[in-house]
Amino acid sequence: VGINCDDSGEALAVASEFDNVFGFSVNEGNSSVFAGSVIECMKKPYLGKKGHIAIGTNHTERAKNYLESQGIEFDEETANYKDGKLKTIYMKQEIGGFAIHLVQK
């Protein structure tokens, strides 16, 4: 889960709260601060009104194709490839104010 914060100070504070409550270690990166491996606190608002949710999949391209067959549209500009394989991509539709993206496990 990615939480949109206004700045790096807020991102660090939010990640630290998760550390205090759940013991998630805080790891600061360039664009976000992680609380453990499950909470990403963005240093500035990113996609999604409230943030983003990553849906892990064993095969991102197959998951994308299946969802497209169900009428879901994807934002191709957000696609991230590694070694010619789709690693992440965001849906165009938000759910509950959250951007949703597929991510290769």
Side-chain angles (χ1 to χ4, degrees):
V1 174
I3 301 170
N4 284 341
C5 297
D6 291 329
D7 55 38
S8 59
E10 181 184 9
L12 184 58
V14 171
S16 295
E17 285 186 61
F18 279 101
D19 179 34
N20 290 336
V21 174
F22 298 106
F24 294 165
S25 60
V26 173
N27 184 14
E28 188 165 359
N30 292 331
S31 61
S32 63
V33 181
F34 274 88
S37 62
V38 294
I39 307 292
E40 182 180 19
C41 303
M42 306 304 295
K43 291 182 177 181
K44 63 181 182 178
Y46 189 55
L47 297 177
K49 180 180 177 183
K50 297 179 180 177
H52 64 274
I53 298 173
I55 305 295
T57 178
N58 291 327
H59 198 291
T60 308
E61 192 68 45
R62 287 183 188 166
K64 176 181 177 278
N65 290 340
Y66 171 76
L67 291 171
E68 286 176 327
S69 77
Q70 304 301 306
I72 302 298
E73 295 181 1
F74 288 85
D75 182 353
E76 295 296 333
E77 291 183 16
T78 66
N80 181 3
Y81 292 87
K82 182 175 181 184
D83 300 325
K85 295 183 180 180
L86 181 63
K87 296 299 178 185
T88 63
I89 190 166
Y90 280 85
M91 295 173 21
K92 287 185 178 180
Q93 170 189 350
E94 289 185 11
I95 299 176
F98 287 90
I100 310 297
H101 70 98
L102 301 177
V103 62
Q104 182 71 42
K105 288 184 184 176

